[in-house]
């Protein structure tokens, strides 16, 4: 939970964690409070499923807030307009130079709040989240509840499906897992060791 807000400057907040850790809920909570403070708020999410241009960000607990689907980071910069607060959900799926865009928005005085997965289903850092966390004034890392044993969980376990890094899904496709219960795919340790997953995998 974040109880501080910037005064008179822009800044960047990152909310990260595994699936089901409450990132979208926390993003919605902060954005609602900004609205209560009469701030001008705009929310973006990646256009992975682009049936409508305008759509909600929705948490697993069915909280929702209207948002704008974008295809790239550049579109966020173009459409942020005069908003004082810019929220971005599922940041790990937004293509382009998101780091450069949010840096410019924050430098121009906007409060930028980003939510996204810090690691993929193999437990490998999910770009550009690591760089965004370094750029941020405030980073919040949330834990889920391990679906298997109930312990605090920081990993996203893929239950079914292939080996594509991006595979949109929810309950049924993924589970939150703790360190003990997480079962990484066979080859991920080897690939991480070779550093191959960090460039263009
Ligand atoms: P995220 O955006 O991080 O995937 P959400 O904010 O969408 O998470 O959803 C969080 C909500 O999901 C929780 O408040 C709870 O109602 C529900 N939930 C379902 N499974 C779990 C779990 N294993 N751990 C924690 N919350 C869970
Ligand atoms: Mg979410
Ligand atoms: Zn567990």
């Amino acid at each position: 939970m974040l109880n501080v807000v910037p005064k008179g400057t822009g800044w960047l907040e990152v909310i990260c964690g595994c699936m089901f850790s409450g990132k979208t809920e926390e993003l919605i909570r902060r954005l609602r409070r900004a609205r209560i403070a009469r701030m001008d708020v705009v929310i973006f999410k990646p256009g992975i499923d682009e049936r409508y241009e305008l759509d909600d960000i929705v948490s697993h607990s069915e909280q929702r807030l209207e948002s704008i689907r974008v295809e790239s980071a550049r579109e966020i910069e173009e459409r942020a307009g005069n908003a004082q607060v810019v929220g971005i959900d599922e940041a790990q799926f937004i293509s382009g130079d998101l780091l450069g865009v949010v840096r410019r928005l924050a430098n121009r005085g906007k409060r930028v709040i980003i939510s996204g997965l810090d690691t993929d289903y193999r437990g490998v850092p999910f770009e550009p989240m690591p760089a965004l966390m370094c750029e941020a004034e405030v980073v919040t890392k949330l834990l889920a509840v391990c679906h298997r044993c109930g312990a605090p969980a920081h990993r996203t376990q893929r239950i079914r499906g292939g080996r594509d890094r991006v595979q949109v899904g929810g309950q049924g496709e993924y589970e939150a897992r703790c360190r003990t219960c997480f079962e990484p795919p066979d080859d991920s340790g080897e690939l991480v060791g070779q550093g191959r997953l960090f460039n263009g995998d």
Side-chain angles (χ1 to χ4, degrees), residues 98-151:
L98 188 60
L99 176 64
V101 166
V102 302
R103 188 183 277 151
R104 285 193 289 278
L105 293 176
N107 288 348
R108 275 196 256 137
K110 297 183 194 301
R111 177 183 175 196
V112 183
I113 314 175
I114 283 185
S115 153
L117 289 171
D118 51 352
T119 58
D120 66 13
Y121 75 102
R122 300 162 296 189
V124 173
F126 214 146
E127 293 80 22
M129 294 300 288
L132 291 166
M133 288 155 77
C134 295
E135 178 70 20
E137 273 87 351
V138 184
V139 176
T140 305
K141 179 159 173 166
L142 301 173
L143 296 166
V145 177
C146 178
H147 278 99
R148 186 168 272 184
C149 78

Short mmCIF file of all heavy atoms in Angstrom, two decimals, residues 98-151:
data_model
loop_
_atom_site.label_atom_id
_atom_site.label_comp_id
_atom_site.label_asym_id
_atom_site.label_seq_id
_atom_site.Cartn_x
_atom_site.Cartn_y
_atom_site.Cartn_z
N LEU A 98 9.05 1.87 -23.77
CA LEU A 98 8.20 2.31 -22.64
C LEU A 98 9.02 3.09 -21.62
O LEU A 98 8.54 4.08 -21.05
CB LEU A 98 7.52 1.10 -21.99
CG LEU A 98 6.47 1.42 -20.93
CD1 LEU A 98 5.33 2.26 -21.50
CD2 LEU A 98 5.92 0.15 -20.29
N LEU A 99 10.26 2.68 -21.39
CA LEU A 99 11.11 3.37 -20.41
C LEU A 99 11.29 4.84 -20.81
O LEU A 99 11.09 5.75 -19.99
CB LEU A 99 12.47 2.68 -20.30
CG LEU A 99 13.48 3.35 -19.39
CD1 LEU A 99 13.01 3.35 -17.95
CD2 LEU A 99 14.85 2.67 -19.50
N GLY A 100 11.62 5.07 -22.08
CA GLY A 100 11.81 6.44 -22.55
C GLY A 100 10.54 7.26 -22.43
O GLY A 100 10.56 8.42 -22.02
N VAL A 101 9.42 6.64 -22.76
CA VAL A 101 8.14 7.34 -22.72
C VAL A 101 7.77 7.75 -21.30
O VAL A 101 7.43 8.89 -21.03
CB VAL A 101 7.02 6.46 -23.35
CG1 VAL A 101 5.64 7.01 -23.02
CG2 VAL A 101 7.20 6.38 -24.86
N VAL A 102 7.86 6.81 -20.36
CA VAL A 102 7.43 7.16 -18.99
C VAL A 102 8.42 8.12 -18.35
O VAL A 102 8.03 8.97 -17.54
CB VAL A 102 7.22 5.91 -18.09
CG1 VAL A 102 6.18 4.99 -18.70
CG2 VAL A 102 8.49 5.18 -17.82
N ARG A 103 9.67 8.04 -18.74
CA ARG A 103 10.66 9.00 -18.22
C ARG A 103 10.29 10.41 -18.67
O ARG A 103 10.28 11.35 -17.87
CB ARG A 103 12.04 8.62 -18.74
CG ARG A 103 13.17 9.41 -18.14
CD ARG A 103 14.48 9.01 -18.76
NE ARG A 103 15.05 7.82 -18.15
CZ ARG A 103 15.84 6.96 -18.79
NH1 ARG A 103 16.12 7.13 -20.07
NH2 ARG A 103 16.33 5.92 -18.15
N ARG A 104 9.93 10.54 -19.95
CA ARG A 104 9.55 11.88 -20.44
C ARG A 104 8.27 12.37 -19.77
O ARG A 104 8.15 13.54 -19.41
CB ARG A 104 9.40 11.85 -21.96
CG ARG A 104 10.72 11.81 -22.70
CD ARG A 104 10.56 12.10 -24.18
NE ARG A 104 9.89 11.04 -24.91
CZ ARG A 104 10.50 9.92 -25.35
NH1 ARG A 104 11.79 9.74 -25.12
NH2 ARG A 104 9.84 9.01 -26.03
N LEU A 105 7.29 11.46 -19.61
CA LEU A 105 6.03 11.87 -18.97
C LEU A 105 6.28 12.33 -17.54
O LEU A 105 5.74 13.35 -17.09
CB LEU A 105 5.02 10.72 -18.99
CG LEU A 105 4.49 10.29 -20.36
CD1 LEU A 105 3.57 9.08 -20.21
CD2 LEU A 105 3.76 11.43 -21.06
N ALA A 106 7.09 11.58 -16.80
CA ALA A 106 7.39 11.96 -15.42
C ALA A 106 8.18 13.26 -15.37
O ALA A 106 7.93 14.13 -14.54
CB ALA A 106 8.15 10.84 -14.71
N ASN A 107 9.12 13.41 -16.29
CA ASN A 107 9.91 14.64 -16.33
C ASN A 107 9.04 15.86 -16.64
O ASN A 107 9.37 16.98 -16.26
CB ASN A 107 11.03 14.54 -17.37
CG ASN A 107 12.14 13.60 -16.93
OD1 ASN A 107 12.19 13.20 -15.76
ND2 ASN A 107 13.01 13.23 -17.85
N ARG A 108 7.92 15.61 -17.36
CA ARG A 108 7.00 16.72 -17.66
C ARG A 108 6.02 16.97 -16.52
O ARG A 108 5.07 17.73 -16.67
CB ARG A 108 6.23 16.40 -18.94
CG ARG A 108 6.97 16.80 -20.20
CD ARG A 108 6.02 16.85 -21.38
NE ARG A 108 6.20 15.68 -22.22
CZ ARG A 108 5.22 14.97 -22.76
NH1 ARG A 108 3.97 15.28 -22.55
NH2 ARG A 108 5.49 13.94 -23.52
N GLY A 109 6.19 16.28 -15.41
CA GLY A 109 5.38 16.60 -14.23
C GLY A 109 4.24 15.64 -13.95
O GLY A 109 3.45 15.85 -13.04
N LYS A 110 4.13 14.57 -14.74
CA LYS A 110 3.02 13.64 -14.53
C LYS A 110 3.38 12.57 -13.49
O LYS A 110 4.53 12.12 -13.43
CB LYS A 110 2.64 12.97 -15.85
CG LYS A 110 2.13 13.95 -16.90
CD LYS A 110 1.70 13.21 -18.14
CE LYS A 110 1.52 14.15 -19.33
NZ LYS A 110 0.52 15.20 -19.09
N ARG A 111 2.38 12.14 -12.74
CA ARG A 111 2.54 10.97 -11.87
C ARG A 111 2.20 9.75 -12.72
O ARG A 111 1.07 9.60 -13.20
CB ARG A 111 1.59 11.07 -10.68
CG ARG A 111 1.64 9.86 -9.76
CD ARG A 111 0.64 9.98 -8.63
NE ARG A 111 0.62 8.77 -7.81
CZ ARG A 111 -0.35 8.46 -6.95
NH1 ARG A 111 -1.40 9.26 -6.80
NH2 ARG A 111 -0.28 7.35 -6.25
N VAL A 112 3.17 8.88 -12.92
CA VAL A 112 2.97 7.69 -13.76
C VAL A 112 2.97 6.46 -12.85
O VAL A 112 3.89 6.28 -12.04
CB VAL A 112 4.09 7.56 -14.81
CG1 VAL A 112 3.83 6.36 -15.72
CG2 VAL A 112 4.20 8.85 -15.64
N ILE A 113 1.92 5.63 -12.97
CA ILE A 113 1.81 4.43 -12.15
C ILE A 113 1.72 3.22 -13.07
O ILE A 113 0.80 3.11 -13.88
CB ILE A 113 0.57 4.46 -11.24
CG1 ILE A 113 0.44 5.81 -10.54
CG2 ILE A 113 0.64 3.33 -10.22
CD1 ILE A 113 -0.85 5.96 -9.72
N ILE A 114 2.72 2.34 -12.98
CA ILE A 114 2.81 1.20 -13.88
C ILE A 114 2.61 -0.08 -13.10
O ILE A 114 3.15 -0.26 -12.01
CB ILE A 114 4.20 1.18 -14.53
CG1 ILE A 114 4.24 2.24 -15.64
CG2 ILE A 114 4.54 -0.19 -15.10
CD1 ILE A 114 5.50 2.22 -16.43
N SER A 115 1.84 -1.01 -13.67
CA SER A 115 1.66 -2.32 -13.08
C SER A 115 2.08 -3.38 -14.09
O SER A 115 1.80 -3.25 -15.28
CB SER A 115 0.18 -2.47 -12.69
OG SER A 115 -0.18 -3.81 -12.69
N GLY A 116 2.80 -4.41 -13.63
CA GLY A 116 3.20 -5.45 -14.57
C GLY A 116 3.88 -6.63 -13.89
O GLY A 116 4.28 -6.55 -12.72
N LEU A 117 3.99 -7.72 -14.65
CA LEU A 117 4.67 -8.93 -14.16
C LEU A 117 6.17 -8.68 -14.11
O LEU A 117 6.76 -8.26 -15.11
CB LEU A 117 4.42 -10.09 -15.14
CG LEU A 117 3.04 -10.70 -15.20
CD1 LEU A 117 2.95 -11.67 -16.38
CD2 LEU A 117 2.73 -11.43 -13.90
N ASP A 118 6.79 -8.95 -12.99
CA ASP A 118 8.25 -8.76 -12.93
C ASP A 118 8.99 -9.95 -13.54
O ASP A 118 10.11 -9.82 -14.01
CB ASP A 118 8.74 -8.48 -11.50
CG ASP A 118 8.23 -9.49 -10.50
OD1 ASP A 118 7.39 -10.33 -10.85
OD2 ASP A 118 8.69 -9.46 -9.35
N THR A 119 8.35 -11.14 -13.54
CA THR A 119 8.99 -12.30 -14.19
C THR A 119 7.98 -13.04 -15.05
O THR A 119 6.77 -12.96 -14.83
CB THR A 119 9.55 -13.29 -13.14
OG1 THR A 119 8.50 -13.73 -12.29
CG2 THR A 119 10.65 -12.67 -12.30
N ASP A 120 8.49 -13.80 -16.00
CA ASP A 120 7.61 -14.59 -16.87
C ASP A 120 7.37 -15.97 -16.24
O ASP A 120 7.76 -16.21 -15.09
CB ASP A 120 8.19 -14.69 -18.29
CG ASP A 120 9.49 -15.48 -18.35
OD1 ASP A 120 9.85 -16.15 -17.36
OD2 ASP A 120 10.17 -15.41 -19.39
N TYR A 121 6.76 -16.89 -17.00
CA TYR A 121 6.36 -18.18 -16.41
C TYR A 121 7.56 -19.08 -16.11
O TYR A 121 7.42 -20.10 -15.45
CB TYR A 121 5.40 -18.91 -17.35
CG TYR A 121 6.04 -19.53 -18.57
CD1 TYR A 121 6.30 -20.88 -18.63
CD2 TYR A 121 6.43 -18.73 -19.65
CE1 TYR A 121 6.91 -21.45 -19.73
CE2 TYR A 121 7.03 -19.29 -20.75
CZ TYR A 121 7.27 -20.65 -20.79
OH TYR A 121 7.88 -21.21 -21.88
N ARG A 122 8.77 -18.65 -16.57
CA ARG A 122 9.98 -19.40 -16.23
C ARG A 122 10.69 -18.81 -15.03
O ARG A 122 11.72 -19.31 -14.59
CB ARG A 122 10.93 -19.39 -17.44
CG ARG A 122 10.33 -20.03 -18.68
CD ARG A 122 11.08 -19.63 -19.94
NE ARG A 122 10.97 -18.19 -20.18
CZ ARG A 122 11.37 -17.59 -21.28
NH1 ARG A 122 11.92 -18.29 -22.25
NH2 ARG A 122 11.24 -16.29 -21.43
N GLY A 123 10.19 -17.67 -14.55
CA GLY A 123 10.87 -16.98 -13.45
C GLY A 123 11.96 -16.05 -13.94
O GLY A 123 12.80 -15.60 -13.17
N VAL A 124 11.96 -15.76 -15.24
CA VAL A 124 12.98 -14.90 -15.84
C VAL A 124 12.47 -13.46 -15.88
O VAL A 124 11.30 -13.23 -16.19
CB VAL A 124 13.28 -15.40 -17.28
CG1 VAL A 124 14.20 -14.43 -18.00
CG2 VAL A 124 13.87 -16.79 -17.22
N PRO A 125 13.31 -12.47 -15.53
CA PRO A 125 12.87 -11.07 -15.57
C PRO A 125 12.19 -10.71 -16.89
O PRO A 125 12.65 -11.11 -17.96
CB PRO A 125 14.17 -10.28 -15.38
CG PRO A 125 15.03 -11.19 -14.57
CD PRO A 125 14.70 -12.59 -15.05
N PHE A 126 11.11 -9.97 -16.77
CA PHE A 126 10.26 -9.65 -17.93
C PHE A 126 10.51 -8.20 -18.32
O PHE A 126 10.01 -7.28 -17.67
CB PHE A 126 8.79 -9.87 -17.56
CG PHE A 126 7.93 -10.36 -18.67
CD1 PHE A 126 6.88 -11.24 -18.41
CD2 PHE A 126 8.15 -9.97 -19.98
CE1 PHE A 126 6.07 -11.72 -19.43
CE2 PHE A 126 7.36 -10.43 -21.01
CZ PHE A 126 6.31 -11.31 -20.73
N GLU A 127 11.30 -7.99 -19.37
CA GLU A 127 11.57 -6.63 -19.82
C GLU A 127 10.27 -5.99 -20.29
O GLU A 127 9.44 -6.69 -20.84
CB GLU A 127 12.59 -6.65 -20.97
CG GLU A 127 13.96 -7.11 -20.59
CD GLU A 127 14.06 -8.62 -20.51
OE1 GLU A 127 13.21 -9.28 -21.14
OE2 GLU A 127 14.93 -9.12 -19.82
N PRO A 128 10.11 -4.69 -20.13
CA PRO A 128 11.07 -3.73 -19.57
C PRO A 128 10.91 -3.48 -18.07
O PRO A 128 11.37 -2.46 -17.59
CB PRO A 128 10.74 -2.46 -20.36
CG PRO A 128 9.25 -2.52 -20.51
CD PRO A 128 8.91 -3.99 -20.64
N MET A 129 10.27 -4.42 -17.35
CA MET A 129 9.99 -4.15 -15.93
C MET A 129 11.24 -3.86 -15.10
O MET A 129 11.24 -2.93 -14.28
CB MET A 129 9.17 -5.29 -15.32
CG MET A 129 7.77 -5.43 -15.89
SD MET A 129 6.76 -3.95 -15.64
CE MET A 129 6.48 -4.06 -13.87
N PRO A 130 12.35 -4.62 -15.27
CA PRO A 130 13.52 -4.32 -14.43
C PRO A 130 14.02 -2.88 -14.60
O PRO A 130 14.31 -2.21 -13.61
CB PRO A 130 14.57 -5.33 -14.93
CG PRO A 130 13.77 -6.46 -15.47
CD PRO A 130 12.55 -5.83 -16.09
N ALA A 131 14.08 -2.42 -15.84
CA ALA A 131 14.55 -1.04 -16.08
C ALA A 131 13.57 -0.03 -15.51
O ALA A 131 13.97 1.01 -14.97
CB ALA A 131 14.75 -0.82 -17.58
N LEU A 132 12.28 -0.32 -15.61
CA LEU A 132 11.28 0.60 -15.06
C LEU A 132 11.40 0.67 -13.54
O LEU A 132 11.23 1.74 -12.94
CB LEU A 132 9.86 0.13 -15.45
CG LEU A 132 9.52 0.25 -16.94
CD1 LEU A 132 8.25 -0.53 -17.26
CD2 LEU A 132 9.35 1.73 -17.33
N MET A 133 11.71 -0.48 -12.92
CA MET A 133 11.87 -0.49 -11.46
C MET A 133 13.06 0.37 -11.03
O MET A 133 13.03 1.02 -9.98
CB MET A 133 12.01 -1.93 -10.97
CG MET A 133 10.70 -2.70 -11.05
SD MET A 133 10.88 -4.48 -11.19
CE MET A 133 11.27 -4.91 -9.52
N CYS A 134 14.11 0.37 -11.84
CA CYS A 134 15.28 1.20 -11.52
C CYS A 134 14.98 2.69 -11.72
O CYS A 134 15.51 3.54 -11.02
CB CYS A 134 16.47 0.81 -12.39
SG CYS A 134 17.06 -0.85 -12.06
N GLU A 135 14.12 2.98 -12.71
CA GLU A 135 13.78 4.38 -12.98
C GLU A 135 12.81 4.96 -11.94
O GLU A 135 12.77 6.17 -11.71
CB GLU A 135 13.15 4.46 -14.39
CG GLU A 135 12.69 5.84 -14.83
CD GLU A 135 13.85 6.79 -15.11
OE1 GLU A 135 14.97 6.30 -15.33
OE2 GLU A 135 13.62 8.02 -15.09
N ALA A 136 12.05 4.07 -11.29
CA ALA A 136 10.96 4.51 -10.42
C ALA A 136 11.45 5.11 -9.10
O ALA A 136 12.47 4.70 -8.56
CB ALA A 136 10.05 3.32 -10.11
N GLU A 137 10.67 6.07 -8.59
CA GLU A 137 10.89 6.56 -7.23
C GLU A 137 10.43 5.51 -6.22
O GLU A 137 11.02 5.34 -5.16
CB GLU A 137 10.09 7.85 -6.99
CG GLU A 137 10.81 9.13 -7.40
CD GLU A 137 10.61 9.46 -8.86
OE1 GLU A 137 10.06 8.63 -9.60
OE2 GLU A 137 11.01 10.58 -9.26
N VAL A 138 9.30 4.84 -6.54
CA VAL A 138 8.70 3.90 -5.60
C VAL A 138 8.39 2.58 -6.30
O VAL A 138 7.76 2.57 -7.36
CB VAL A 138 7.38 4.46 -5.01
CG1 VAL A 138 6.84 3.50 -3.96
CG2 VAL A 138 7.59 5.83 -4.42
N VAL A 139 8.83 1.47 -5.73
CA VAL A 139 8.51 0.14 -6.26
C VAL A 139 7.76 -0.64 -5.19
O VAL A 139 8.19 -0.72 -4.05
CB VAL A 139 9.80 -0.63 -6.64
CG1 VAL A 139 9.45 -2.04 -7.10
CG2 VAL A 139 10.57 0.11 -7.72
N THR A 140 6.63 -1.22 -5.59
CA THR A 140 5.86 -2.08 -4.68
C THR A 140 5.84 -3.47 -5.29
O THR A 140 5.38 -3.65 -6.41
CB THR A 140 4.42 -1.56 -4.54
OG1 THR A 140 4.46 -0.19 -4.12
CG2 THR A 140 3.63 -2.39 -3.54
N LYS A 141 6.36 -4.45 -4.54
CA LYS A 141 6.31 -5.83 -5.02
C LYS A 141 5.29 -6.59 -4.18
O LYS A 141 5.41 -6.66 -2.96
CB LYS A 141 7.69 -6.49 -4.92
CG LYS A 141 7.66 -7.95 -5.38
CD LYS A 141 9.05 -8.44 -5.76
CE LYS A 141 9.00 -9.94 -6.03
NZ LYS A 141 10.20 -10.43 -6.71
N LEU A 142 4.29 -7.13 -4.85
CA LEU A 142 3.20 -7.82 -4.16
C LEU A 142 3.36 -9.33 -4.26
O LEU A 142 3.95 -9.84 -5.22
CB LEU A 142 1.86 -7.41 -4.79
CG LEU A 142 1.55 -5.90 -4.76
CD1 LEU A 142 0.28 -5.61 -5.55
CD2 LEU A 142 1.41 -5.41 -3.32
N LEU A 143 2.82 -10.04 -3.28
CA LEU A 143 2.84 -11.51 -3.28
C LEU A 143 1.43 -12.03 -3.42
O LEU A 143 0.48 -11.43 -2.92
CB LEU A 143 3.45 -12.02 -1.97
CG LEU A 143 4.93 -11.68 -1.72
CD1 LEU A 143 5.29 -11.95 -0.28
CD2 LEU A 143 5.82 -12.47 -2.67
N ALA A 144 1.30 -13.16 -4.10
CA ALA A 144 0.00 -13.84 -4.17
C ALA A 144 -0.01 -14.93 -3.10
O ALA A 144 0.88 -15.01 -2.25
CB ALA A 144 -0.19 -14.44 -5.56
N VAL A 145 -1.04 -15.77 -3.15
CA VAL A 145 -1.13 -16.93 -2.25
C VAL A 145 -0.88 -18.17 -3.11
O VAL A 145 -1.51 -18.35 -4.16
CB VAL A 145 -2.54 -17.02 -1.61
CG1 VAL A 145 -2.66 -18.26 -0.74
CG2 VAL A 145 -2.84 -15.76 -0.83
N CYS A 146 0.07 -18.99 -2.70
CA CYS A 146 0.40 -20.19 -3.49
C CYS A 146 -0.84 -21.07 -3.64
O CYS A 146 -1.46 -21.46 -2.65
CB CYS A 146 1.53 -20.97 -2.80
SG CYS A 146 1.96 -22.48 -3.69
N HIS A 147 -1.19 -21.35 -4.90
CA HIS A 147 -2.39 -22.16 -5.15
C HIS A 147 -2.24 -23.57 -4.60
O HIS A 147 -3.22 -24.27 -4.38
CB HIS A 147 -2.66 -22.24 -6.66
CG HIS A 147 -3.40 -21.06 -7.21
ND1 HIS A 147 -2.77 -20.01 -7.86
CD2 HIS A 147 -4.71 -20.74 -7.19
CE1 HIS A 147 -3.68 -19.12 -8.23
NE2 HIS A 147 -4.86 -19.54 -7.84
N ARG A 148 -0.99 -24.00 -4.41
CA ARG A 148 -0.78 -25.39 -3.98
C ARG A 148 -0.74 -25.54 -2.46
O ARG A 148 -1.34 -26.44 -1.91
CB ARG A 148 0.51 -25.92 -4.60
CG ARG A 148 0.73 -27.38 -4.35
CD ARG A 148 1.85 -27.93 -5.20
NE ARG A 148 1.38 -28.40 -6.50
CZ ARG A 148 2.17 -29.00 -7.37
NH1 ARG A 148 3.45 -29.17 -7.09
NH2 ARG A 148 1.69 -29.41 -8.51
N CYS A 149 -0.02 -24.60 -1.78
CA CYS A 149 0.19 -24.81 -0.34
C CYS A 149 -0.25 -23.64 0.54
O CYS A 149 -0.23 -23.76 1.76
CB CYS A 149 1.65 -25.12 -0.06
SG CYS A 149 2.72 -23.66 -0.09
N GLY A 150 -0.62 -22.52 -0.08
CA GLY A 150 -1.11 -21.40 0.72
C GLY A 150 -0.04 -20.45 1.23
O GLY A 150 -0.36 -19.44 1.87
N ALA A 151 1.21 -20.73 0.95
CA ALA A 151 2.29 -19.83 1.38
C ALA A 151 2.31 -18.58 0.49
O ALA A 151 1.70 -18.57 -0.58
CB ALA A 151 3.63 -20.57 1.28
#
